Amino acid sequence: MSRIGRMPVVIPNGVNVTIDNDNVVTVEGKLGKLSQKVDKVINVEVKDGHVVLTRPNDLSDTKAKHGLYRMLVANMVHGVSEGFSKTLNINGVGYKVAKQGNKVVLNLGFSHPVEIVEEEGITLETPDATTLVVKGINKELVGQYAAKVRGLRPVEPYHAYGIKYSDEVVIKKVGKVSGKK
């Protein structure tokens, strides 16, 4: 992690980074505002359009925190400038998704439709009847919400029915074979 921690975070145009006395880093951009408290062991500075994080020693715990907080700050900068998204694909006979206002209705083969509501900081989009896009500025919230939706109907390995990430690879299992010889 120490190599990651040493890399400075580039601040793009339109993004403002401030650090207060309690080591709280606040990042503001066109999409919103995020803040993160950084451990006192790690020193955070804004220099020449970059956020630089330094550590006082090479202890294992300090090295891990160095890389962690550098990535958290980098994710905040990316989130307020460009945002994050996760795409979910829905596959199955009769499985579909439709947006109604601020909620999404999923037909997943249950006896009833499943409704999910957009939470604060999360935007849901349905480009077509079998695709759901989860968007937001906080990478952690986007990933957690997408995992929650995926958990409604995980992919089963025989027919690949269910909800999966667009970049997820599902290895299908072979079904039963008759006893002919």
Side-chain angles (χ1 to χ4, degrees):
M1 283 296 206
S2 63
R3 291 184 215 165
I4 291 174
R6 288 187 181 126
M7 292 188 298
V9 179
V10 178
I11 302 171
N13 291 335
V15 175
N16 185 22
V17 178
T18 56
I19 303 150
D20 69 1
N21 293 337
D22 293 332
N23 236 16
V24 176
V25 178
T26 305
V27 182
E28 264 186 281
K30 64 181 179 183
L31 298 179
K33 179 179 179 180
L34 294 172
S35 61
Q36 172 70 44
K37 182 162 178 45
V38 177
D39 196 325
K40 291 282 188 184
V41 174
I42 306 300
N43 183 30
V44 185
E45 301 175 308
V46 177
K47 292 182 182 175
D48 301 327
H50 293 78
V51 179
V52 180
L53 288 85
T54 55
R55 64 177 189 260
N57 55 43
D58 285 339
L59 296 176
S60 173
D61 187 48
T62 308
K63 282 182 172 182
K65 288 179 181 177
H66 190 208
L68 168 75
Y69 288 117
R70 188 266 176 205
M71 276 314 299
L72 289 175
V73 170
N75 285 340
M76 289 192 310
V77 169
H78 185 273
V80 298
S81 61
E82 299 174 31
F84 292 100
S85 70
K86 288 263 187 188
T87 305
L88 299 167
N89 293 334
I90 297 151
N91 183 25
V93 176
Y95 289 18
K96 61 183 177 179
V97 60
K99 185 161 181 168
Q100 297 174 349
N102 70 336
K103 66 180 178 178
V104 172
V105 179
L106 297 145
N107 292 326
L108 300 173
F110 298 125
S111 61
H112 59 284
V114 179
E115 293 182 356
I116 55 173
V117 181
E118 290 180 349
E119 293 179 0
E120 185 177 340
I122 298 293
T123 306
L124 300 173
E125 295 177 3
T126 54
D128 58 50
T130 60
T131 306
L132 177 66
V133 180
V134 181
K135 290 185 174 185
I137 62 171
N138 188 332
K139 187 174 186 178
E140 182 181 2
L141 282 178
V142 170
Q144 184 63 42
Y145 197 84
K148 183 176 125 182
V149 172
R150 184 183 177 277
L152 294 172
R153 186 66 131 188
V155 177
E156 58 89 24
Y158 294 100
H159 299 100
Y161 291 165
I163 302 173
K164 70 178 191 87
Y165 298 115
S166 62
D167 57 351
E168 182 179 0
V169 176
V170 177
I171 299 173
K172 291 176 72 172
K173 291 184 176 180
V174 178
K176 291 183 178 181
V177 182
S178 67
K180 292 182 183 179
K181 289 188 178 188

